[in-house]
Amino acid sequence: MTAGKQQPAGERTQIRVLLADDHALVRRGFKLMLEAQPDLGVVGEAADGEQAVELAGRLRPDVVLMDLHMPGMDGVRATELITAGLPQVRVLALSTFDLDENVVAALRAGAAGFLPKDVSPEELIEGVRVVHRGESAVAPRLLTRLISTFVRNNPPRTDSTGTVPAGTVSAGTEPARRPGLPELTAREREILVLIARGRSNTEIAAELAVSPSTVKNHVTSLFAKIGARDRAQAVIAAYEAGLVRPGE
């Protein structure tokens, strides 16, 4: 593993990125793409998940580019540890495969987005900037395909007590009464369904004939109720609760 030089306090103007991938050539390629931009800088490199967790704790990057398929500790577990211990660090998951159940697992674990590893330099750069802004970097169509393919057939992992983690929902009865999904208002439920169908806040506001600020307030409330930290986790919760079904 390698660590880049850190900027002195008060001079931090770049988005600080940590690269986690077991292939040195891939890391070098990503580094060249990112450091060609004046607002991006690579502060460290890790060859597996354990190194990624250690470097994230030491370097406190803004964004971690996380390969999901690495030897030893994989990217899903590393994402879980980083997002739990360092909530200010955003993880952007990377996979060789568009339809990969590990992507859904990483989103459940707290990843802020997903990109296939063959993305263009422009898409990679924009993805880093998007997650750094606090948004979710997953194309709505791809997110819907991922979740409709994997979520319904792969229930979330439980913890040592058998409890489903916050932000996930078990299949069962009427959606708003299922374990892990508290009572939502009719409007919150409506907005959650629209989020799961890939609508942005602006599009939701137009469809419901309300202001964007009203939608934002509802989104903040329903995220808190279902334990979702971003839109990707909210979409997963909606599918797991049966509010939205594949093909709709």
Side-chain angles (χ1 to χ4, degrees):
M1 60 181 173
T2 60
K5 60 183 180 181
Q6 300 183 59
Q7 292 174 298
E11 296 183 16
R12 183 171 156 178
T13 58
Q14 291 185 319
I15 299 172
R16 305 171 73 250
V17 182
L18 171 64
L19 303 178
D21 194 292
D22 57 317
H23 293 99
L25 286 177
V26 172
R27 296 198 306 270
R28 176 155 182 77
F30 285 154
K31 184 174 183 178
L32 289 172
M33 293 181 201
L34 296 173
E35 293 200 327
Q37 305 301 310
D39 62 329
L40 303 177
V42 174
V43 296
E45 299 179 32
D48 59 35
E50 186 175 356
Q51 293 176 357
V53 173
E54 189 275 324
L55 278 178
R58 178 153 57 88
L59 299 176
R60 304 299 173 98
D62 299 307
V63 177
V64 179
L65 277 181
M66 181 74 74
D67 180 24
L68 298 182
H69 300 275
M70 292 185 288
M73 182 188 293
D74 66 16
V76 175
R77 178 59 176 160
T79 295
E80 187 176 27
L81 292 174
I82 290 171
T83 57
L86 301 167
Q88 74 278 14
V89 176
R90 306 283 287 177
V91 175
L92 181 54
L94 300 170
S95 175
T96 305
F97 312 103
D98 283 358
L99 288 179
D100 181 355
E101 61 186 319
N102 287 307
V103 173
V104 175
L107 294 172
R108 281 195 181 114
F114 158 72
L115 292 174
K117 290 180 74 171
D118 61 354
V119 293
S120 68
E122 294 78 16
E123 290 172 312
L124 179 71
I125 291 162
E126 183 59 22
V128 171
R129 289 171 176 158
V130 166
V131 298
H132 180 250
R133 291 199 299 265
E135 301 171 17
S136 181
V138 186
R141 289 182 182 178
L142 179 56
L143 182 61
T144 300
R145 286 173 59 210
L146 278 166
I147 293 172
S148 64
T149 300
F150 294 111
V151 168
R152 300 294 290 172
N153 296 322
N154 294 274
R157 291 174 287 184
T158 57
D159 62 21
S160 59
T161 67
T163 302
V164 177
T168 60
V169 192
S170 301
T173 57
E174 207 277 328
R177 301 183 185 279
R178 291 175 182 172
L181 183 61
E183 292 287 344
L184 298 177
T185 66
R187 180 47 58 93
E188 287 170 347
R189 201 156 49 241
E190 189 175 20
I191 289 174
L192 180 57
V193 168
L194 292 172
I195 288 173
R197 290 175 177 163
R199 306 290 200 281
S200 66
N201 282 4
T202 301
E203 291 169 334
I204 293 172
E207 188 161 337
L208 299 181
V210 297
S211 70
S213 62
T214 297
V215 172
K216 183 177 180 180
N217 289 338
H218 283 305
V219 168
T220 299
S221 174
L222 75 88
F223 277 20
K225 288 182 179 181
I226 67 177
R229 61 181 283 174
D230 55 35
R231 296 176 91 85
Q233 290 190 341
V235 174
I236 290 172
Y239 270 88
E240 288 179 338
L243 292 177
V244 180
R245 292 178 172 80
E248 290 186 337

